[in-house]
Amino acid sequence: MNDPYPPELTDDELAELDLTVLLRYGLTAEPGPRRTALFGDGAAAAAVLLDRLATEPRSVAFLADTVRAGGLTHAVELPEPLPRPEAAALVREWLRAGTEIAGGTTADDTAATWLRAVATLIEVKRLNRARGRSTGSA
């Protein structure tokens, strides 16, 4: 019998995922495997990458609000979508992948929701690290 749950990926394995592919196929997908991959491993991978670049969750949440208000096309043109240059360059690739599919407001709203999920995961990672430090465990 097949295990219905795939094995967990490490942060290093998540960091190797091609998020542009997940975005291209997941932003306009109906609920199902592609959307699940985008919001599951894809959001976790984005959180790992942005957290490693010391990106504040609130910056990603602000970008999510910007995408929701102005769309992916507007957001990809921002001179600095995130405060740090490395994070800005990375997220610009993701935004560009979203604009390539011409998904309209559906893709815009899904991208905004995805970015909000990424922001939440970064915050959870930080809280868990802080909790580990406060209890003396690693």
Side-chain angles (χ1 to χ4, degrees), residues 2 17 22 37 49 66 73 77 94 101 112 114 118-119 127:
N2 290 341
L17 292 179
L22 290 175
L49 291 169
T66 302
T73 303
E77 297 298 326
W94 303 341
I101 58 173
W114 181 76
V118 171
L127 290 171

Side-chain angles (χ1 to χ4, degrees), residues 22-120:
L22 290 175
L23 286 160
R24 279 188 202 112
Y25 289 102
L27 285 178
T28 57
E30 294 295 322
R34 290 180 179 172
R35 183 67 64 90
T36 299
L38 177 62
F39 278 87
D41 289 343
V48 166
L49 291 169
L50 291 174
D51 185 51
R52 287 179 176 179
L53 294 172
T55 306
E56 291 291 329
R58 67 177 175 261
S59 298
V60 181
F62 183 80
L63 179 60
D65 293 343
T66 302
V67 169
R68 189 169 310 283
L72 286 162
T73 303
H74 168 72
V76 79
E77 297 298 326
L78 293 170
E80 193 174 76
L82 291 175
R84 297 178 183 271
E86 300 87 1
L90 182 61
V91 80
R92 192 173 286 110
E93 289 178 34
W94 303 341
L95 295 170
R96 194 171 294 116
T99 63
E100 292 171 357
I101 58 173
T105 56
T106 299
D108 294 342
D109 289 345
T110 303
T113 303
W114 181 76
L115 285 165
R116 185 61 78 160
V118 171
T120 300

